[in-house]
């Protein structure tokens, strides 16, 4: 996947899947904020299990108050958002347990989030 940043517009960063399951084109996600790419490029997942994993080495720069989203900054300064579900902000954090802390440096494959 190509991740862009303002300084190195065409640098490619390898990322792994965040979970087992099916990868979907972002255009197939049933939320126009994502499918219209208002937050940028990406993919959707129909994932299995209850745990999401770090797609690459990074630093945790955002954990939503509602715990349904985690933002990462990669080593090349590109940013990646992991957002779980549609309308999950309405759950007010119920069912989400972050396994990382804001500012933490994480490694590819590290557990990020448990979902009930």
């Amino acid at each position: 996947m190509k991740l862009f940043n303002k300084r190195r517009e065409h640098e490619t960063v390898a990322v792994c899947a965040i979970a087992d399951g099916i990868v979907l084109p972002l255009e197939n996600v049933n939320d126009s904020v994502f499918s219209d790419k208002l937050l940028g490029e990406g993919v959707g997942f129909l994932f299995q299990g209850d745990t999401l994993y770090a797609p690459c080495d990074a630093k945790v720069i955002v954990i939503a108050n509602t715990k349904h989203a985690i933002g990462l900054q990669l080593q090349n300064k590109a940013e990646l958002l992991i957002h779980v579900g549609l309308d999950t902000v309405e759950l007010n954090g119920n069912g989400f347990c972050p396994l990382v802390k804001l500012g933490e440096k994480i490694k590819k494959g590290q557990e990020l989030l448990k979902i009930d």
Side-chain angles (χ1 to χ4, degrees):
M1 169 183 292
K2 284 196 179 215
L3 299 174
F4 299 94
N5 77 34
K6 292 176 183 161
R7 290 186 213 115
R8 293 175 240 163
E9 200 169 298
H10 300 287
E11 185 173 343
T12 300
V13 175
V15 294
C16 296
I18 60 169
D20 288 333
I22 299 169
V23 177
L24 302 172
L26 198 56
E27 296 83 3
N28 292 2
V29 173
N30 192 21
D31 184 321
S32 62
V33 171
F34 298 105
S35 62
D36 291 345
K37 300 182 180 180
L38 299 178
L39 296 175
E41 294 292 331
V43 296
F45 279 94
L46 290 175
F47 64 89
Q48 301 169 351
D50 64 355
T51 307
L52 300 183
Y53 300 89
C56 56
D57 294 352
K59 179 180 178 183
V60 178
I61 58 171
V62 172
I63 299 176
N65 291 338
T66 51
K67 304 174 190 170
H68 74 288
I70 296 177
L72 304 177
Q73 184 179 58
L74 285 56
Q75 293 175 340
N76 73 345
K77 305 298 184 206
E79 295 178 356
L80 188 143
L81 175 67
I82 298 172
H83 183 279
V84 181
L86 303 176
D87 299 322
T88 47
V89 70
E90 296 171 10
L91 295 174
N92 293 316
N94 292 321
F96 300 100
C97 182
L99 303 173
V100 294
K101 293 182 174 31
L102 191 60
E104 183 176 346
K105 291 185 179 182
I106 59 172
K107 294 288 187 185
K108 179 176 77 172
Q110 182 176 337
E111 292 183 345
L112 293 179
L113 183 67
K114 283 276 190 197
I115 303 163
D116 182 8

